[in-house]
Amino acid sequence: MTLESLQETLREKPGVLLYFSGENCNVCHALRPKFKEAFDTHFPLVEQIYIDAHEFPEIAAHFQVFSVPTMIVYLGGREFAREGRAVSLHGLVEKLKRPYAIMTEA
């Protein structure tokens, strides 16, 4: 994974979830399957990308990720939502439902 390939994905895909995690982050590992299930169910066109912030520190720094877990959702190539630390999956899903519906209607 390179920053350039990631930026290309953000430009090309209608929606992208960047899930920043860390190897020793138990919360990250517990939340990841819940996010995957929720996005698979509610937002199937959103590409889900897992990034280990410790393995790819330059990518984490580029996206200004300083703690894990951090989730950044891009819609139409632009950052739409960012959640970190105390994450509300339900809140994020609710926040994305309307814009996702508009995005997929076009």
Side-chain angles (χ1 to χ4, degrees), residues 37-92:
E37 180 181 349
F39 273 73
D40 287 347
T41 301
H42 298 288
F43 314 114
L45 297 179
V46 172
E47 173 112 7
Q48 300 173 46
I49 300 174
Y50 172 82
I51 302 164
D52 186 319
H54 300 292
E55 186 177 344
F56 299 101
E58 69 285 347
I59 294 175
H62 176 81
F63 288 97
Q64 299 180 347
V65 172
F66 304 111
S67 65
V68 290
T70 297
M71 296 79 180
I72 307 172
V73 178
Y74 282 80
L75 297 177
R78 296 182 183 196
E79 183 176 325
F80 181 80
R82 180 182 288 248
E83 296 283 332
R85 294 229 176 226
V87 178
S88 169
L89 176 57
H90 176 73
L92 184 59

